[in-house]
Coordinates of all heavy atoms in Angstrom, one line a residue:
G1 N 29.6 5.6 2.8 CA 30.9 6.4 2.6 C 32.1 5.6 3.1 O 32.1 4.5 3.5
P2 N 33.3 6.3 3.0 CA 34.5 5.6 3.3 C 34.9 5.6 4.8 O 35.9 5.0 5.2 CB 35.6 6.4 2.5 CG 35.0 7.8 2.5 CD 33.5 7.6 2.4
S3 N 34.1 6.4 5.7 CA 34.4 6.4 7.1 C 33.2 6.9 7.9 O 32.2 7.3 7.3 CB 35.6 7.3 7.4 OG 35.2 8.7 7.4
L4 N 33.3 6.9 9.2 CA 32.3 7.3 10.0 C 32.6 8.7 10.7 O 31.8 9.2 11.5 CB 32.0 6.3 11.1 CG 31.4 4.9 10.7 CD1 31.5 3.9 11.8 CD2 30.0 5.1 10.2
A5 N 33.7 9.2 10.4 CA 34.2 10.4 11.1 C 33.3 11.6 11.0 O 33.2 12.3 12.0 CB 35.6 10.8 10.6
L6 N 32.6 11.8 9.9 CA 31.8 13.0 9.7 C 30.4 12.8 10.2 O 29.7 13.9 10.4 CB 31.8 13.4 8.2 CG 33.2 13.9 7.7 CD1 33.1 14.2 6.3 CD2 33.7 15.0 8.5
S7 N 29.9 11.6 10.4 CA 28.5 11.4 10.7 C 28.2 10.8 12.0 O 27.0 10.8 12.5 CB 27.9 10.5 9.6 OG 28.6 9.2 9.5
M8 N 29.2 10.3 12.8 CA 29.0 9.5 14.0 C 29.9 10.1 15.1 O 31.0 10.4 14.9 CB 29.2 8.1 13.8 CG 28.8 7.2 14.9 SD 29.1 5.4 14.6 CE 27.8 5.1 13.3
S9 N 29.4 10.1 16.3 CA 30.2 10.5 17.5 C 31.4 9.6 17.6 O 31.3 8.4 17.4 CB 29.4 10.4 18.7 OG 28.3 11.4 18.7
S10 N 32.5 10.1 18.0 CA 33.8 9.4 18.1 C 33.7 8.2 19.0 O 34.2 7.1 18.7 CB 34.9 10.3 18.4 OG 36.1 9.6 18.6
Y11 N 33.1 8.4 20.2 CA 33.1 7.4 21.2 C 32.3 6.1 20.6 O 32.7 5.0 20.9 CB 32.4 7.8 22.5 CG 30.9 7.8 22.5 CD1 30.2 6.7 22.9 CD2 30.2 8.9 22.0 CE1 28.8 6.7 22.8 CE2 28.8 8.9 22.0 CZ 28.1 7.8 22.4 OH 26.7 7.8 22.4
L12 N 31.3 6.4 19.8 CA 30.5 5.3 19.3 C 31.2 4.6 18.1 O 31.2 3.3 18.1 CB 29.2 5.9 18.8 CG 28.1 4.9 18.4 CD1 27.8 3.8 19.5 CD2 26.7 5.7 18.0
S13 N 31.8 5.3 17.2 CA 32.5 4.7 16.1 C 33.7 3.8 16.6 O 34.0 2.8 16.1 CB 33.0 5.7 15.1 OG 33.9 6.6 15.7
S14 N 34.3 4.3 17.7 CA 35.4 3.5 18.2 C 35.0 2.2 18.8 O 35.6 1.2 18.6 CB 36.1 4.3 19.3 OG 36.7 5.5 18.8
R15 N 33.8 2.2 19.4 CA 33.2 1.0 20.0 C 32.9 0.0 18.9 O 33.0 -1.2 19.0 CB 32.1 1.3 20.9 CG 32.4 2.0 22.2 CD 31.2 2.2 23.0 NE 31.5 2.9 24.3 CZ 30.6 3.3 25.1 NH1 29.3 3.0 24.9 NH2 30.9 3.9 26.2
L16 N 32.3 0.5 17.9 CA 31.9 -0.3 16.7 C 33.1 -1.1 16.1 O 33.0 -2.3 15.9 CB 31.2 0.5 15.7 CG 29.8 1.1 16.0 CD1 29.3 2.0 15.0 CD2 28.8 0.0 16.2
E17 N 34.2 -0.3 15.9 CA 35.4 -0.9 15.3 C 36.0 -1.9 16.2 O 36.6 -2.9 15.7 CB 36.4 0.3 15.0 CG 35.9 1.3 14.0 CD 36.1 0.7 12.6 OE1 36.4 -0.5 12.4 OE2 35.8 1.5 11.6
A18 N 35.8 -1.8 17.5 CA 36.5 -2.7 18.5 C 35.7 -3.9 18.8 O 36.2 -4.9 19.4 CB 36.8 -1.9 19.7
D19 N 34.4 -3.9 18.4 CA 33.5 -5.0 18.9 C 33.6 -6.2 17.9 O 33.3 -6.1 16.7 CB 32.0 -4.5 18.9 CG 31.1 -5.4 19.6 OD1 31.3 -6.6 19.5 OD2 30.1 -4.9 20.2
P20 N 34.0 -7.3 18.4 CA 34.1 -8.5 17.4 C 32.8 -9.0 16.9 O 32.8 -9.8 15.9 CB 34.8 -9.5 18.3 CG 34.4 -9.2 19.7 CD 34.4 -7.7 19.7
A21 N 31.7 -8.6 17.5 CA 30.4 -9.1 17.1 C 29.8 -8.2 16.0 O 28.7 -8.4 15.5 CB 29.4 -9.2 18.2
I22 N 30.6 -7.2 15.6 CA 30.1 -6.2 14.6 C 31.1 -6.1 13.5 O 32.3 -5.9 13.7 CB 29.9 -4.8 15.2 CG1 28.8 -4.9 16.3 CG2 29.4 -3.8 14.2 CD1 28.6 -3.6 17.1
S23 N 30.7 -6.1 12.3 CA 31.5 -5.9 11.1 C 31.0 -4.6 10.4 O 29.9 -4.5 10.1 CB 31.5 -7.0 10.1 OG 32.0 -8.2 10.7
V24 N 32.0 -3.7 10.2 CA 31.6 -2.4 9.5 C 32.1 -2.5 8.1 O 33.3 -2.7 7.8 CB 32.3 -1.2 10.2 CG1 31.8 0.1 9.5 CG2 31.9 -1.1 11.7
H25 N 31.1 -2.4 7.2 CA 31.4 -2.5 5.7 C 31.3 -1.1 5.1 O 30.2 -0.5 5.0 CB 30.5 -3.4 5.0 CG 30.4 -4.8 5.6 ND1 31.1 -5.9 5.2 CD2 29.6 -5.3 6.6 CE1 30.9 -7.0 5.9 NE2 29.9 -6.6 6.8
Y26 N 32.5 -0.5 4.8 CA 32.5 0.8 4.2 C 32.2 0.7 2.6 O 32.4 -0.3 2.0 CB 33.8 1.5 4.4 CG 34.0 1.8 5.9 CD1 34.9 1.1 6.7 CD2 33.3 2.8 6.6 CE1 35.1 1.3 8.0 CE2 33.5 3.0 7.9 CZ 34.4 2.3 8.7 OH 34.6 2.6 10.0
N27 N 31.8 1.9 2.1 CA 31.6 2.0 0.6 C 30.7 0.8 0.2 O 30.9 0.2 -0.9 CB 32.9 1.9 -0.1 CG 33.8 3.0 0.2 OD1 33.5 4.2 0.1 ND2 35.0 2.7 0.7
T28 N 29.6 0.5 0.9 CA 28.8 -0.6 0.7 C 27.3 -0.2 0.7 O 26.9 0.6 1.6 CB 29.1 -1.8 1.7 OG1 30.4 -2.0 1.7 CG2 28.2 -3.0 1.4
E29 N 26.5 -0.9 -0.2 CA 25.1 -0.6 -0.2 C 24.3 -1.9 -0.4 O 24.9 -3.0 -0.8 CB 24.7 0.3 -1.4 CG 25.3 1.7 -1.3 CD 25.0 2.5 -2.5 OE1 24.5 1.9 -3.5 OE2 25.2 3.7 -2.5
I30 N 23.0 -1.9 -0.1 CA 22.2 -3.0 -0.3 C 21.9 -3.2 -1.8 O 21.5 -2.1 -2.4 CB 20.8 -2.9 0.5 CG1 21.1 -3.0 2.0 CG2 19.9 -4.0 0.1 CD1 21.5 -4.3 2.5
D31 N 22.0 -4.4 -2.3 CA 21.7 -4.5 -3.7 C 20.3 -5.2 -3.9 O 19.6 -4.8 -4.8 CB 22.8 -5.4 -4.4 CG 22.6 -5.6 -5.9 OD1 22.9 -4.7 -6.7 OD2 22.1 -6.7 -6.3
S32 N 20.0 -6.2 -3.2 CA 18.8 -6.9 -3.4 C 18.4 -7.6 -2.1 O 19.2 -7.8 -1.2 CB 18.9 -7.9 -4.5 OG 19.9 -8.9 -4.3
L33 N 17.1 -8.0 -2.0 CA 16.5 -8.7 -0.8 C 16.1 -10.1 -1.2 O 15.7 -10.3 -2.4 CB 15.3 -7.9 -0.3 CG 15.5 -6.4 -0.1 CD1 14.1 -5.8 0.3 CD2 16.5 -6.2 1.0
H34 N 16.1 -11.0 -0.3 CA 15.7 -12.4 -0.6 C 14.8 -12.9 0.5 O 14.9 -12.5 1.7 CB 16.9 -13.3 -0.6 CG 18.0 -12.8 -1.6 ND1 17.9 -12.9 -3.0 CD2 19.2 -12.1 -1.3 CE1 19.0 -12.3 -3.5 NE2 19.8 -11.9 -2.5
G35 N 13.8 -13.7 0.1 CA 12.8 -14.2 1.0 C 11.4 -14.1 0.5 O 11.1 -13.1 -0.3
D36 N 10.6 -15.0 0.9 CA 9.2 -14.9 0.4 C 8.3 -14.1 1.4 O 8.1 -12.8 1.3 CB 8.6 -16.3 0.2 CG 9.4 -17.0 -0.9 OD1 9.7 -16.4 -1.8 OD2 9.6 -18.3 -0.7
A37 N 7.7 -14.7 2.4 CA 6.9 -14.0 3.3 C 7.8 -13.3 4.4 O 7.3 -12.4 5.1 CB 6.0 -15.0 4.0
Q38 N 9.1 -13.7 4.5 CA 10.0 -13.2 5.5 C 11.3 -13.0 4.9 O 11.8 -13.8 4.1 CB 10.0 -14.2 6.7 CG 10.9 -13.7 7.8 CD 10.4 -12.7 8.7 OE1 9.1 -12.5 8.8 NE2 11.2 -11.8 9.3

C-alpha cells in the first residue's frame, strides 16, 4: 500500500522511516526470485 498508517503501530513506523539501514518501498511487490539452490 501507499503507507503504514493503517497497519502498523505509530512508534514502529516512525523508527523504520528514521533508520538509515532500512529502506521502505511503498506500492511495491515481489515480481520474481533468482538463485539455484539458494
Side-chain angles (χ1 to χ4, degrees):
S3 80
L4 294 169
L6 295 178
S7 58
M8 187 179 293
S9 297
S10 177
Y11 82 91
L12 188 54
S13 60
S14 298
R15 288 183 185 177
L16 293 170
E17 295 283 7
D19 194 327
I22 299 173
S23 295
V24 183
H25 305 267
Y26 295 106
N27 301 306
T28 304
E29 298 179 346
I30 293 289
D31 182 76
S32 57
L33 309 173
H34 308 284
D36 295 325
Q38 179 77 27

